[in-house]
Amino acid sequence: MGGLLSAYSLVVVFRPVETIQHRMTFLAVALPLVFLCYRSGLAPFARRLLRRPGPPPPPQDGERRAEWPSPMDWVLAAMALTVLVYPLLDIDAFRDRGSGAALTDVDVVSGVVLTVLLLEAVRRTVGWSFAIICLLFLLYTYYGSYLPIDWTIGHSGFDIGQIVSQLYTGTEGFFGVPMQVAASYIILFTIYGAVLDYSGASKFFIDLSFAAFRRSRAAPGRTVTTAGFLLGTVSGSGVATTVSLGSVAWPVLRRAGYPKEAAGGILAAGGIGAILSPPTLGAAAFIIAEYLGVGYLQVLLYATIPTLLYYLGIFLAIEIDSRHFGTQAVRVDTPGVGRLLLRFGYHFSSLLLIVVLMALDRSAFQSVVIATVIAFLLSFLDPRHRMGPKRVGQALARGALEVLPVTAVCAAAGIIVGTITLTGLGQNLADIIVDLGAGNLVITTAMAAVAVLLLGLAVPVTASFIIAAVIIGPALFDLGVTRPEAYMFVFYYAVLSEVSPPTALSAVAAAAITGGNTYRTMMMTWRYTLPAFLVPFAFVLTPNGQALLAQGPLGTVLLMTAVSAVAVAALAMATGGLARWPERLLAAVAAVLLLFLEPVPIVTGLAVLAVAVALHLFRSRRDPK
């Protein structure tokens, strides 16, 4: 089923299908797959409810049977298939009934069933939190008329038929922009990533990273970070990259002398960079392109300079920590860089091809499909990774299965987007945020950052971006922030929620690999990624902030990038373990001043940073220890 879903998605690129029909067909296969591939996890709860203590009984036919879909899973899959195929039998009549608010009883029942199934799907794939948030929005839409009439968020209330019409019959609900992104962009990139992986690209990227750096005390940390960036082009997932990288890199970091928590921080910071780094970025980046109505290449351009600053911050922090922890060089047996590039450098060609094709005005869809075909053909240059029929089938299946959680989230996010549109809640909440910020852009931006981070503690990146984009985005628009700046600000803070305590999924995964303390690993990750928390404020708060999104005259872009790089270096000094508190405090002040990106703050920041460096050098000479 996964292979067929991938094949369908590839064919549709060159033989387009009507919008809602395509989205509905995609979900008609993906949603049943969710129920067949993800267990409900309710068996322990049921045993407690029925007062049956102890572990579950062992499966009769071996451990593998425990992973088989249960009869209930098959029932739910059949129900999902039914309620999604039913409208496709006469899609024009179904759409007309929805637009005319003349739904039949079967339409309403099918819409309610699909809503319940989507809530269960997101509960299985990403947990209870997002399912509960979606349910609260539904309750608000239905019971809003009971709120006090003088409340800003009050409304007249909507019945079941109106809610189903909004969510089920058009492109404002389940089959809206997020679903389009999952069905058109994301699955194509997951297929591409799977083909790259099966063709041996992942191993090449790791080997190249280990071979690229000279043997020095900082080389192991730099190597792991570079490998994370290269692997991120394959996975596009922070947690997946952290886990894939950790299994190979943790032994190297341990031999180099890194403490468990610091090693975990490097792994998590390198992993989360996968969602921030071109050419794949994360799912939310595709949604930005749809919301802004621009090509995906434009979003890649927006992300280029912030990505460079992000990795600059990590490399500088690693350089400081290598001295602080007294790490040592590690010898890893890999071929030389030149030999690797001559033999396997072709793996880069498909990545570059995506960017080149989009620059030549090819659509992102066609670009990634062509790159996938090229990656498949190039696999035959390596006898160990030639993609015969079996590997092709495995890659297609894996590409589809990896998109299932995102598909469930994007479809269920239609509940939030649809109800916000129906009730007008988005603009009402935006007005409240602006009022709480007293119309001050600095206060409102700080509140927006905290709100997105808190939201990201409960829901995955894609979901938190969608919710924040429709609620917080308008608040920033009202204060004069442009749409690209606002959406990129929200995007970065949605991504950074994955490294923010107390959840920090990437850091938790890294701690599980290294065996380090989870909370201290989170704090180390937060320290490595600190520049990424401050740089987005420059997008929004300063007139020259758009230069960091590669917008404006080339000279301004280069100058602001250089100033921001100095600010990142100051942040590395402020958070590093070598300097003492007076120097670190001065460096932090300098970093903040530099990120204002205006002449007077820049000059002042450079002066403060010069004092901090001079003080540090003076102390170092007096007390070499």
Side-chain angles (χ1 to χ4, degrees), residues 310-489:
Y310 175 81
Y311 281 102
L312 174 64
I314 296 178
F315 277 116
L316 291 174
I318 287 172
E319 197 69 34
I320 292 172
D321 280 354
S322 66
R323 290 163 171 75
H324 179 62
F325 296 127
T327 60
Q328 59 187 6
V330 175
R331 180 181 178 84
V332 179
D333 292 329
T334 59
V337 174
R339 183 178 175 187
L340 281 170
L341 288 174
L342 285 174
R343 179 64 184 86
F344 301 108
Y346 58 81
H347 285 300
F348 284 118
S349 60
S350 62
L351 290 169
L352 296 174
L353 184 62
I354 293 176
V355 177
V356 171
L357 288 174
M358 287 193 291
L360 295 175
D361 289 331
R362 283 274 190 171
S363 70
F365 313 121
Q366 293 183 359
S367 299
V368 71
V369 171
I370 293 172
T372 302
V373 173
I374 295 300
F376 159 72
L377 295 174
L378 291 174
S379 71
F380 289 92
L381 296 176
D382 184 359
R384 296 170 300 172
H385 295 96
R386 286 175 180 167
M387 294 192 65
K390 182 179 179 180
R391 279 181 173 265
V392 169
Q394 290 172 333
L396 290 176
R398 177 173 156 186
L401 298 181
E402 286 187 351
V403 85
L404 295 183
V406 178
T407 300
V409 166
C410 287
I415 295 174
I416 297 172
V417 176
T419 55
I420 284 177
T421 304
L422 185 63
T423 61
L425 177 64
Q427 189 58 54
N428 290 337
L429 290 178
D431 292 340
I432 292 174
I433 293 172
V434 172
D435 290 342
L436 289 175
N440 183 282
L441 181 58
V442 176
I443 298 175
T444 303
T445 304
M447 290 173 56
V450 173
V452 178
L453 286 177
L454 291 176
L455 184 62
L457 302 181
V459 298
V461 170
T462 305
S464 61
F465 172 79
I466 294 170
I467 298 171
V470 297
I471 294 177
I472 295 173
L476 297 176
F477 303 157
D478 290 346
L479 294 176
V481 179
T482 66
R483 294 172 69 86
E485 293 165 352
Y487 283 142
M488 291 302 290
F489 176 87

